[in-house]
Amino acid sequence: MPLPSVATRRYAPVVAGDEWHFGGRYYGVTWAGSPDSMDAELDDLAPAPERGTVARVALPDDRAIEPTFVQFEREPLPLALVEKFIQEARRGRPSA
């Protein structure tokens, strides 16, 4: 069984003030590339203590493979935040 790919590059979070403010917390999206996918990570940024990466959308380079969503945070995330994150992930997906 092959080992999972390791992220090879990361980009700065995309934060637009109140646009990413949900449930009293600020979030941002960080992109991580690997040899076989481009992943969008949803990061909890403020207020302290930050919770780090709370969810990820994996966008495989092979368009025949369905994108996946994984939530790492045990606490519920606001639905509007999850919807916005998925929309951002789909919009930011690199073109083939």
Side-chain angles (χ1 to χ4, degrees), residues 25-82:
R25 304 203 59 82
Y26 286 92
Y27 296 87
V29 177
T30 304
W31 290 94
S34 69
D36 57 356
S37 72
M38 180 62 78
D39 299 343
E41 296 177 346
L42 180 64
D43 301 313
D44 180 317
L45 302 176
E50 300 86 10
R51 295 184 291 179
T53 301
V54 295
R56 180 183 71 226
V57 170
L59 303 164
D61 289 340
D62 181 348
R63 304 283 174 139
I65 300 172
E66 197 67 30
T68 58
F69 173 84
V70 177
Q71 180 176 330
F72 303 115
E73 179 61 37
R74 297 185 120 199
E75 295 297 317
L77 296 172
L79 181 59
L81 169 64
V82 173

